[in-house]
Amino acid sequence: MTTGPDAMRADAVFYGSGDLAGLIWDAADQWSHPLLAYETARDFRQCVLRFRWRSGGLRRLDETHGPTLTIEGRDADGAPRAWYVRLWNYASGGPEDAEIVLDFAALEGGFRLPDDSDPVWAGDVDRMFISLVPPAYDAGDSGFAAPVEGWAELRRDRLRRGGVGAGGG
């Protein structure tokens, strides 16, 4: 849900160890009326996304299986691809309250950078999503004794003079 003109919050309830929720953005607007739909734009190489991340009751940014941006599209040769961008690699702050800056012209997937670097080619993106999982996530199918609640909030970070995002990002 939106919590203001520059923020959104996702509340989730997890019932088992393999449950995963996601915040999904499609490059093509398939849901709006054609006169109101946003223009399809698959080239994100000029995009810098800067936001404040706050969360609770989820796997933290610094943990294995922590919040990850999955980018689905095609590589520079047109072959279908997916990249997994660990948000913690682009965070400043704590594992539940951080500023995250994603410069799509210089984005790298992988768990540990530079060791696991998988450069993202953001010139032909179909869809992106941020995964959210409970603290006891193990990709299994064990049910929890009681539902586990978690939340994440993304708020547009106020622009600063100089540096990434200055001038209108």
Side-chain angles (χ1 to χ4, degrees):
M1 79 174 102
T2 57
T3 58
D6 61 352
M8 64 172 292
R9 179 183 167 111
D11 292 300
V13 179
F14 303 99
Y15 296 95
S17 64
D19 289 357
L20 180 144
L23 303 173
I24 301 172
W25 294 271
D26 286 308
D29 187 345
Q30 302 174 41
W31 306 106
S32 298
H33 186 281
L35 295 176
L36 302 174
Y38 56 81
E39 179 182 343
T40 297
R42 297 184 189 281
D43 189 346
F44 285 78
R45 292 175 294 174
Q46 300 289 323
C47 180
V48 176
L49 182 59
R50 177 191 298 260
F51 58 93
R52 181 174 178 195
W53 171 273
R54 293 182 54 238
S55 63
L58 301 172
R59 189 70 66 104
R60 296 166 13 146
L61 286 168
D62 63 341
E63 295 179 301
T64 303
H65 300 298
T68 300
L69 173 67
T70 299
I71 301 172
E72 297 174 341
R74 280 155 297 287
D75 66 17
D77 295 323
R81 255 319 292 271
W83 293 269
Y84 305 96
V85 178
R86 185 179 186 209
L87 294 183
W88 181 244
N89 291 334
Y90 296 92
S92 299
E96 293 182 305
D97 187 353
E99 175 188 54
I100 297 176
V101 180
L102 304 172
D103 179 352
F104 284 79
L107 205 54
E108 296 181 46
F111 186 75
R112 285 188 189 88
L113 298 181
D115 299 340
D116 304 324
S117 177
D118 182 16
V120 173
W121 193 76
D124 194 1
V125 173
D126 292 324
R127 176 172 99 139
M128 296 185 284
F129 63 92
I130 296 176
S131 57
L132 309 172
V133 299
Y137 178 81
D138 66 7
D141 59 5
S142 301
F144 295 146
V148 174
E149 295 183 10
W151 60 273
E153 180 183 78
L154 286 73
R155 179 175 299 279
R156 189 180 88 193
D157 193 33
R158 299 294 180 224
L159 299 176
R160 295 179 176 85
R161 292 186 184 264
V164 175

